[in-house]
Amino acid sequence: MSEFISRKRFLVFAILTGMLAVYIIAVYGSLAVKDVPQSVSRSNELVRGTIVDRNGKPLAVSTNFYHLSVTPSAVHQVELTAEVLASVLQMEPNLIAQSIRDSSRVFYLKKHLDEAQYSILKELISQNKLTGLRFDKIPGRVYPENDLAAQLIGFMGDDGEGLAGIEYSMQRDLAPKLSPNPEEVRDGQNVYLTIDANLQYKLEKIALNAMESTQAESVMMVAAHGKTGEILSYISLPSVDLNQYRTSTVEQRQDRPAVMAYEPGSVFKVFSVASFFDAGLISRNETFVCDGSYDVSTANGERVRITCLDRHGPITAEQALQYSCNDALAQMSAKMNSEFFINKLRELGFGSKTGVNLPGETAGLVKSPSDKLWSGRSKPTISIGQEISVSALQMVRATTAITNRGVPLELSVVSRITDRDNKDVLVHSPKAGTRVFTEATAAYILECMKSTAQVGTGHRAALGDISIGVKTGTAQMIDTTTGGYSDTDFISNCIAVFPAEDPQIILYIVITKAKGETYAGRIVAPVVAEAADVIIDHLGLSREGAASLAHSGLISVPAGTLPEILGVLPDFTGIPKRNLTALLVRDDLNVVIYGDGYVVSQNPPVGTPVTEGMTIEFYLE
């Protein structure tokens, strides 16, 4: 031994080492005979909650996926490995072999293998004694209904975090809860949506057919309960198969009812008239003379000119909604203080998020009279649905103030939340806001919407055996290149409530950038009628004694020939269709005939001044 490593020092070192060894053996021995406490980390056992429809139909279910990784240096039989894997992975053997040879690091050969593929591959790898392959287990989701209500349901990523829709906004409820305290650890909770999957499926077929027949860029359709605010159907097309979410486009993933802001056009007139009437500034029988345009100069010399689609002559507020008269609405807006008008619109929820449990919701845009961009034309223009941007959800929420007797309701897409044992954790109950209109105002607007479906621009939405109230609107979209209004792109939309006397259902449909015909009364109203029929039958709403038009069945046909058209329009009521055909050959008039039988109403009304090229619409039964 050296002088440093003396016998004494070596003996001390040996004793200390022996004592350490004895201590380690003693500790491990005691641990071996003790009961092993349960681990508080159950992440491999905990399950994410399921998303189901209001009746419990599964829409998003937890499962496991597997990533197949390859360690190139550990693969001893490249060709055999490639041949064995190719058929299951649906890849070319030569591409698999090339990937293995060209890679120096561990890489994923295939991601998101399902349980069936995993089981088959695991067996094949074992049978052929393949090396260098490993499976990484990851939590995943299966969406049994594929693209049904896709934007509402959303999608979950590989890390177990929701990326869109309810999967994102309800992450805290759906995800398992981990905690150092074993008593607080739990599985994810189940979320029951307010939608009815079967009704959703039926309405999605109607919406898809509408998009294809109009060659539109997109379609939105939202159906809600008029007394609770619960959304029964939520549609945004084009849509995405949630099982193929990673390969989808931005357009397919877009949740339009929540995130898309746009000018609604004439549909908005419903809320404007309601505001004017509720303030006592207009009355039922008050008339406004439409001469084809609203043309005024403000006190500061600013000229405001808003054109109308026609010269409607003297009309009431109800008729202004029937014919969608811009001139009359602008005249009504002049009666109301700008601040009061804007505040009333904000009370309806415009300019703020609805609070529905969906990510990325837009607040839209409502100008204030103090804004720099406010001008003399802002108030009359906003009253007809321009210079304001809204979302489809905001339009539905504002309509609840009409269906719920003047008190708006919060919208909801979540019906209830349950734990793993399906015990209720939360149950949705209707939440009413502050009263915006009187009951009398709400009832008056329902009358106006009902007559619009009977004799106005929304007559194609009429059902015949149950009353319905509607308002249509067609608005030019902003040209993102020029910053002005586009001459080719339009938003065509229609709001409907039924039964009109005491509305249970709100139905709102938006068709964007249709090709060819764009007027909402012609392309959206028929879709409203079709969808409303499906909703009524699906929900079992009564049709008895609810005819939207009723008469004795006898029509008195006046004697004589077709009334002569001179300076003003005569009364054509009761004239048979065969007599009206004589007007179709006239070059100075544009005559449109709806229906068959005899004239029950006309637009413009009796006494309207006749002008060259004017359009006259006849509604027959």
Side-chain angles (χ1 to χ4, degrees):
M1 293 188 180
S2 66
E3 293 181 1
F4 177 78
I5 308 177
S6 64
R7 183 183 302 276
K8 184 178 179 180
R9 287 178 175 174
F10 181 80
L11 183 61
V12 171
F13 176 76
I15 292 172
L16 292 175
T17 302
M19 292 173 63
L20 179 61
V22 170
Y23 173 76
I24 292 174
I25 292 171
V27 170
Y28 275 89
S30 65
L31 292 175
V33 297
K34 281 185 177 180
D35 292 332
V36 179
Q38 290 186 342
S39 172
V40 298
S41 176
R42 296 172 50 224
S43 58
N44 292 331
E45 303 171 21
L46 297 178
V47 179
R48 185 178 178 86
T50 300
I51 299 175
V52 299
D53 82 338
R54 67 185 303 115
N55 301 312
K57 187 180 182 68
L59 301 175
V61 181
S62 289
T63 186
N64 290 316
F65 289 111
Y66 299 86
H67 293 346
L68 175 59
S69 67
V70 179
T71 305
S73 60
V75 178
H76 299 150
Q77 303 178 74
V78 175
E79 298 299 334
L80 177 61
T81 299
E83 288 292 338
V84 171
L85 299 180
S87 60
V88 181
L89 300 181
Q90 297 183 337
M91 298 173 66
E92 293 293 329
N94 60 320
L95 294 179
I96 296 176
Q98 183 178 348
S99 297
I100 297 173
R101 292 194 182 98
D102 293 347
S103 301
S104 59
R105 299 179 179 179
V106 177
F107 68 96
Y108 282 123
L109 180 62
K110 190 78 171 184
K111 291 184 176 182
H112 299 103
L113 299 170
D114 59 30
E115 290 280 359
Q117 293 171 310
Y118 164 71
S119 298
I120 295 172
L121 286 171
K122 188 177 180 181
E123 182 66 22
L124 290 174
I125 291 170
S126 176
Q127 288 177 358
N128 291 276
K129 299 180 180 180
L130 303 180
T131 58
L133 303 175
R134 190 186 72 185
F135 291 99
D136 293 333
K137 182 179 178 180
I138 63 169
R141 285 293 234 193
V142 171
Y143 301 93
E145 301 301 321
N146 301 315
D147 60 350
L148 189 81
Q151 291 87 353
L152 174 60
I153 297 168
F155 179 76
M156 188 190 79
D158 291 345
D159 58 357
E161 295 284 329
L163 299 180
I166 290 295
E167 291 276 35
Y168 175 86
S169 61
M170 302 292 289
Q171 171 69 18
R172 288 188 178 182
D173 299 278
L174 290 165
K177 182 180 179 181
L178 301 176
S179 173
N181 183 355
E183 295 181 358
E184 295 180 0
V185 176
R186 64 161 174 78
D187 288 281
Q189 296 173 329
N190 304 315
V191 174
Y192 282 71
L193 301 181
T194 55
I195 67 167
D196 183 317
N198 293 329
L199 178 62
Q200 177 82 14
Y201 174 76
K202 295 174 184 177
L203 294 182
E204 281 191 9
K205 288 178 64 177
I206 293 173
L208 182 60
N209 182 63
M211 188 168 78
E212 292 175 347
S213 62
T214 60
Q215 301 179 58
E217 180 181 275
S218 65
V219 170
M220 292 182 273
M221 184 185 296
V222 178
H225 198 291
K227 306 299 183 185
T228 67
E230 290 191 346
I231 292 176
L232 304 177
S233 180
Y234 190 95
I235 298 171
S236 178
L237 298 178
S239 190
V240 54
D241 183 341
L242 292 174
N243 296 303
Q244 306 296 328
Y245 191 85
R246 296 172 183 82
T247 61
S248 62
T249 64
V250 174
E251 290 73 21
Q252 290 173 323
R253 296 192 297 268
Q254 187 177 16
D255 180 6
R256 293 171 187 81
V259 307
M260 181 177 172
Y262 56 92
E263 291 186 353
S266 294
V267 172
F268 199 77
K269 293 173 182 174
V270 166
F271 308 114
S272 298
V273 170
S275 300
F276 306 147
F277 186 86
D278 196 73
L281 300 176
I282 63 173
S283 61
R284 288 173 176 269
N285 300 320
E286 183 177 0
T287 59
F288 303 85
V289 179
C290 168
D291 59 4
S293 69
Y294 176 74
D295 199 339
V296 300
S297 294
T298 63
N300 60 5
E302 182 182 0
R303 184 183 178 186
V304 178
R305 189 172 190 275
I306 298 174
T307 59
C308 197
L309 292 175
D310 208 339
R311 294 174 179 266
H312 297 113
I315 56 175
T316 62
E318 180 175 0
Q319 291 172 321
L321 290 178
Q322 290 174 10
Y323 309 140
S324 205
C325 179
N326 292 343
D327 188 355
L329 262 293
Q331 292 179 53
M332 293 179 213
S333 72
K335 291 173 169 282
M336 179 172 274
N337 173 272
S338 298
E339 288 282 1
F340 190 89
F341 180 48
I342 294 302
N343 287 339
K344 183 63 70 172
L345 297 183
R346 292 189 183 280
E347 288 177 16
L348 284 167
F350 296 110
S352 61
K353 298 180 181 180
T354 67
V356 71
N357 218 331
L358 290 171
E361 185 184 3
T362 181
L365 179 63
V366 178
K367 289 182 180 179
S368 294
S370 59
D371 292 345
K372 291 182 179 180
L373 295 178
W374 184 273
S375 68
R377 66 177 293 115
S378 292
K379 183 172 56 173
T381 304
I382 290 173
S383 74
I384 62 174
Q386 295 178 345
E387 281 195 46
I388 185 171
S389 67
V390 305
S391 71
L393 288 179
Q394 286 177 334
M395 292 293 286
V396 173
R397 179 180 62 176
T399 305
T400 63
I402 297 171
T403 61
N404 195 44
R405 301 180 180 179
V407 180
L409 297 163
E410 288 187 14
L411 300 182
S412 177
V413 293
V414 176
S415 175
R416 62 190 179 113
I417 300 174
T418 66
D419 61 18
R420 185 175 183 177
D421 299 322
N422 212 35
K423 294 180 180 178
D424 287 336
V425 176
L426 179 147
V427 177
H428 170 259
S429 58
K431 295 180 181 178
T434 304
R435 178 174 292 280
V436 177
F437 302 130
T438 64
E439 289 193 28
T441 296
Y444 170 67
I445 295 300
L446 289 175
E447 291 176 20
C448 294
M449 294 178 72
K450 181 178 178 181
S451 65
T452 300
Q454 293 172 337
V455 296
T457 58
H459 71 277
R460 289 182 175 84
L463 301 175
D465 57 355
I466 189 169
S467 60
I468 186 170
V470 302
K471 183 67 189 82
T472 62
T474 307
Q476 289 175 286
M477 299 182 69
I478 299 296
D479 188 322
T480 55
T481 303
T482 65
Y485 285 107
S486 170
D487 293 328
T488 57
D489 297 337
F490 293 86
I491 287 275
S492 309
N493 57 144
C494 181
I495 194 82
V497 297
F498 51 92
E501 293 78 16
D502 185 24
Q504 302 299 307
I505 303 297
I506 299 169
L507 176 62
Y508 183 52
I509 301 177
V510 184
I511 297 179
T512 306
K513 296 184 181 181
K515 302 293 188 299
E517 181 61 76
T518 58
Y519 280 109
R522 295 172 185 169
I523 66 172
V524 187
V527 183
V528 167
E530 184 180 4
D533 254 332
V534 168
I535 294 171
I536 291 166
D537 289 341
H538 185 87
L539 299 181
L541 300 181
S542 175
R543 292 179 180 269
E544 295 180 6
S548 59
L549 288 174
H551 53 73
S552 65
L554 300 175
I555 298 178
S556 177
V557 180
T561 58
L562 189 70
E564 187 175 2
I565 300 177
L566 297 174
V568 296
L569 283 181
D571 187 358
F572 288 87
T573 303
I575 299 298
K577 186 174 185 178
R578 63 177 179 272
N579 287 7
L580 294 177
T581 55
L583 298 176
L584 297 175
V585 298
R586 293 185 57 157
D587 296 327
D588 59 334
L589 298 174
N590 179 28
V591 176
V592 182
I593 302 174
Y594 301 115
D596 296 294
Y598 301 86
V599 177
V600 293
S601 66
Q602 64 188 68
N603 177 34
V606 178
T608 301
V610 176
T611 59
E612 185 172 355
M614 75 182 299
T615 298
I616 307 175
E617 296 178 317
F618 295 109
Y619 302 94
L620 283 61
E621 284 197 355

